[in-house]
Amino acid sequence: MKKLYIAFIVCFLFTTVYSLDASKVESGSIINTWTWEKSVGGNVNPYIATPKTIGFSKKIVFTPEGRVITYKNNVEIRNSVYQVGKGIAISDKTEHDLISFEGKTYVIENLDNQNLTIVANDQDGARTIFKR
């Protein structure tokens, strides 16, 4: 009976640790090449921009070494550092996963295997959508 009780506690601990860890955005999950799909302006400056409407393609590559490389029409235009962490969003004053690069900070609104949506952490809150 004692062994069964200990086994139950160990199993519970492992499932609890996994579920807590799975809800976090880790810098490793963003590492990949992301192709820009669309940008949508916020309240101050409403607009919709796509590669077709703006006349160029854009992609960003997040490396495991903490660098972000920005390409415009497949030509490297920037190479800088990025940082992922927790912080307070200006829009709702609550804690979110944030990413900072190229002198700006963004709220990570959506991050999964195929999609990355970031929202500028400023008063306007422009949204940018990338796909893998």
Side-chain angles (χ1 to χ4, degrees):
M1 182 70 167
K2 188 174 183 178
K3 287 182 182 180
L4 181 62
Y5 182 69
I6 291 172
F8 176 74
I9 290 173
V10 169
C11 182
F12 176 76
L13 287 175
F14 280 119
T15 57
T16 302
V17 170
Y18 174 75
S19 64
L20 290 175
D21 204 31
S23 66
K24 295 180 183 176
V25 172
E26 298 176 7
S27 61
S29 61
I30 202 162
I31 296 171
N32 211 321
T33 300
W34 298 93
T35 303
W36 173 57
E37 291 286 315
K38 177 170 55 170
S39 293
V40 180
N43 295 331
V44 176
N45 185 18
Y47 65 88
I48 295 178
T50 66
K52 185 176 180 179
T53 62
I54 208 138
F56 62 83
S57 65
K58 180 179 176 182
K59 69 180 176 181
I60 54 177
V61 179
F62 292 100
T63 71
E65 296 78 32
R67 307 287 302 170
V68 58
I69 306 163
T70 304
Y71 295 87
K72 181 178 177 180
N73 291 332
N74 292 319
V75 175
E76 183 178 327
I77 59 170
R78 258 182 246 106
N79 188 326
S80 59
V81 298
Y82 73 91
Q83 197 169 26
V84 176
K86 294 282 187 184
I88 302 298
I90 290 175
S91 61
D92 62 4
K93 308 288 189 254
T94 61
E95 187 175 67
H96 292 274
D97 293 306
L98 303 179
I99 186 164
S100 298
F101 62 96
E102 297 176 356
K104 289 190 79 173
T105 300
Y106 303 90
V107 175
I108 300 173
E109 184 178 73
N110 181 34
L111 174 60
D112 60 33
N113 288 335
Q114 298 299 316
N115 304 289
L116 170 63
T117 303
I118 56 176
V119 179
N121 196 24
D122 57 26
Q123 293 298 325
D124 189 42
R127 177 174 279 101
T128 306
I129 301 164
F130 296 92
K131 301 276 184 192
R132 281 199 197 202

